[in-house]
């Protein structure tokens, strides 16, 4: 049994360069994009948040700059990305805009998804855009990413974006309809695997190492993406994007490979917070806040009586009751000095105290793990 697309509320769709760019003309494939936009509108219209991770900047820019086919030096691909990203954003804004959807451009680097403070900022921006029903069009910020600090492929980037946005589904649109038992170009007996319950060594061995000229990722980076996604509580689908309505085709049960996760994004995030992060400080809270947290609320500044430790926004801190017992841990939304100034204050006073607007919660409930004892 594979899940139905109707059950997902936040979906990241990754579109590869070879799907989006007509190689010979060096132009976006407008008719194909229009059909994909119809599919996106259908998902969006029934309430799902849709985020697009779109490649194609380098492929579009290289034609404008007259670069010959073949590999590019890093500086040349960065220049091509700088030129092509404008065209890429424009075409997305057009195809979505004519269907009544606002597009938003987001360019991220590896650091934005790895470093907790920046991660939290990007996460909050994505959340706000979702509330506003805008569709973010996301790509790597190739122009500032050097080779050591770069994803290089949008498969893994899309998986990190999906976990960052707590998406419950990631769809990788590719030039193949899923994972085969062996690379089909090399082995005519290879068969499509419809469902992968767990990515193990046998699955990894099936991936081979093929990549096409325009897109960086082969099946290997898609499997890497699958690991990032499923550990983060996001299901993933690899499907053929070369057909006119690739998302509708998945809805209708067309061929594809599902990589399933046993987690939800919030549960996976909580395991990560509770298990693998070293606390950098402590917030002592009053009885009212203690009760509110146990009822599922976020921790507001008003309930904090004391702040200790030298932590930064996004760090993990212990939450303790007055008297010392730890009741949980969470990612704090403020640096230690700001947290200390806000302790005991009403959320409406944040701007007056800090001189800037801030988050209403000291720790958002999705970023808080309570001890069970
Ligand atoms: N960020 C690159 C671009 O927009 C694409 C990377 C990839 O092909 O996965 O051209």
């Amino acid at each position: 049994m594979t899940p139905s697309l109707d059950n997902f509320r936040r979906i990241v769709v990754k579109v590869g360069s070879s799907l989006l760019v007509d190689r010979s003309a060096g132009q976006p494939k407008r008719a194909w994009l229009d059909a994909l936009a119809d599919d996106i509108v259908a998902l969006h219209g029934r309430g799902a948040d849709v985020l697009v991770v779109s490649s194609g900047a380098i492929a579009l820019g290289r034609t404008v700059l007259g670069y010959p086919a073949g590999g590019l030096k890093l500086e040349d691909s960065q220049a091509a990305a700088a030129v092509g990203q404008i065209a890429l954003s424009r075409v997305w804004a057009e195809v979505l805009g004519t269907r009544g959807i606002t597009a938003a451009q987001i360019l991220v680097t590896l650091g934005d998804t790895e470093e907790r403070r920046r991660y939290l900022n990007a996460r909050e921006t994505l959340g706000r855009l979702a509330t506003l029903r805008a569709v973010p069009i996301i790509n790597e910020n190739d122009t500032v990413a050097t080779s050591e600090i770069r994803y290089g492929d949008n498969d893994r980037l899309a998986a990190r974006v999906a976990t960052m946005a707590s998406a419950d589904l990631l769809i990788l649109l590719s030039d193949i309809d899923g994972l085969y038992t062996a690379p089909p170009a090399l082995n005519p007996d290879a068969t499509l695997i419809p469902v992968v319950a767990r990515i193990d060594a046998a699955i990894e061995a099936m991936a081979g190492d093929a990549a096409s000229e325009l897109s960086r990722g082969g099946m290997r980076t898609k499997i890497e993406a699958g690991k990032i996604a499923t550990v983060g509580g996001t299901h993933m689908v690899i499907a053929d994007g070369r057909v006119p309505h690739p998302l509708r085709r998945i809805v209708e049960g067309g061929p594809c490979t599902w990589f399933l996760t046993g987690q939800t994004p919030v549960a996976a995030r909580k395991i990560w917070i509770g298990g693998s992060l070293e606390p950098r400080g402590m917030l002592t809270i009053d009885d009212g806040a203690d009760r509110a947290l146990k009822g599922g609320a976020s921790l507001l500044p008003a309930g904090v009586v004391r702040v200790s430790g030298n932590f930064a926004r996004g760090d993990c801190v212990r939450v303790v009751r007055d008297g010392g017992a730890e009741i949980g841990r969470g990612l704090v939304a403020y640096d230690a000095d700001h947290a200390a100034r806000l302790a005991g204050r009403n959320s409406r006073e944040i701007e007056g105290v800090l001189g800037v607007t801030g988050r209403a919660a000291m720790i958002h409930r999705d970023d808080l793990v309570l001890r069970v004892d």
Side-chain angles (χ1 to χ4, degrees):
M1 269 297 280
T2 53
S4 151
L5 283 203
D6 290 342
N7 297 333
F8 295 99
R9 45 158 208 92
R10 187 166 287 178
I11 303 174
V12 175
V13 180
K14 184 260 173 178
V15 180
S17 301
S18 57
L19 297 175
L20 193 141
V21 180
D22 178 337
R23 271 169 193 255
S24 48
Q27 292 292 328
K29 292 185 193 161
R30 186 59 195 248
W32 178 83
L33 263 169
D34 276 312
L36 175 62
D38 286 340
D39 290 2
I40 291 174
V41 168
L43 293 175
H44 189 264
R46 61 139 188 82
D49 301 325
V50 183
L51 295 79
V52 175
V53 172
S54 177
S55 308
I58 297 173
L60 290 170
R62 64 184 299 152
T63 316
V64 178
L65 294 173
Y67 288 141
L72 293 177
K73 288 212 290 281
L74 180 63
E75 308 82 86
D76 287 326
S77 48
Q78 289 179 316
V83 170
Q85 184 63 39
I86 298 177
L88 186 63
S89 292
R90 186 174 54 224
V91 73
W92 275 111
E94 273 172 24
V95 295
L96 293 175
T98 52
R99 289 166 175 79
I101 293 181
T102 304
Q105 175 186 264
I106 300 195
L107 299 178
V108 292
T109 60
L110 187 66
D112 297 327
T113 62
E114 300 294 320
E115 202 245 305
R116 271 205 302 285
R117 169 188 293 259
R118 277 144 73 189
Y119 175 103
L120 275 194
N121 288 341
R123 179 178 157 83
E124 272 154 18
T125 306
L126 292 172
R128 179 51 56 94
L129 287 168
T131 311
L132 297 167
R133 302 297 287 139
V135 170
I137 307 298
I138 302 156
N139 197 358
E140 185 160 15
N141 194 348
D142 290 311
T143 51
V144 297
T146 60
S147 50
E148 312 80 63
I149 54 147
R150 152 169 219 266
Y151 280 95
D153 68 88
N154 275 3
D155 294 325
R156 289 175 305 149
L157 174 74
R160 289 295 285 154
V161 165
T163 59
M164 191 159 79
S166 295
D168 41 14
L169 179 64
L170 165 65
I171 300 175
L172 298 182
L173 293 179
S174 173
D175 51 8
I176 186 162
D177 47 18
L179 176 68
Y180 280 75
T181 49
L186 305 175
N187 186 341
D189 296 329
T191 53
L192 181 72
I193 302 174
V195 179
V196 173
R198 208 173 71 82
I199 299 173
D200 55 17
I203 294 293
E204 291 193 52
M206 292 172 193
D209 200 17
S212 71
E213 191 195 313
L214 279 183
S215 51
R216 296 289 301 257
M219 193 51 76
R220 184 169 291 180
T221 63
K222 292 181 177 42
I223 299 296
E224 289 301 319
K227 288 197 230 165
I228 297 168
T230 52
V231 167
T234 305
H235 295 289
M236 186 176 94
V237 175
I238 301 177
D240 195 344
R242 293 170 301 179
V243 295
H245 285 279
L247 301 178
R248 191 200 290 168
R249 192 159 176 252
I250 301 171
V251 173
E252 289 168 352
C256 60
T257 302
W258 282 85
F259 294 79
L260 302 180
T261 176
Q263 302 282 358
T264 64
V266 171
R269 184 172 168 79
K270 292 197 173 202
I271 290 170
W272 171 66
I273 293 168
S276 58
L277 298 173
E278 189 58 34
R280 302 266 176 220
M282 195 163 82
L283 302 180
T284 305
I285 64 167
D286 63 21
D287 290 345
D290 186 15
R291 277 194 301 278
L293 297 193
K294 287 183 176 136
S298 297
L299 176 62
L300 300 179
V304 177
V305 294
R306 216 167 21 258
V307 172
S308 39
N310 186 15
F311 52 83
R313 169 172 153 69
D315 279 343
C316 179
V317 294
R318 269 184 240 279
V319 179
V320 301
R321 239 191 314 255
D322 218 358
E326 177 172 324
I327 63 158
R329 293 177 178 196
L331 302 187
V332 62
Y334 288 97
D335 294 342
D337 59 331
H338 281 180
R341 279 157 63 192
L342 290 176
R345 310 293 283 259
N346 190 292
S347 298
R348 283 193 302 276
E349 298 176 88
I350 292 174
E351 189 168 356
V353 174
L354 300 183
V356 289
T357 53
R359 317 289 172 192
M362 189 76 88
I363 301 179
H364 189 275
R365 62 195 175 127
D366 286 353
D367 296 333
L368 183 72
V369 190
L370 297 182
R371 279 173 76 118
V372 271
D373 41 25

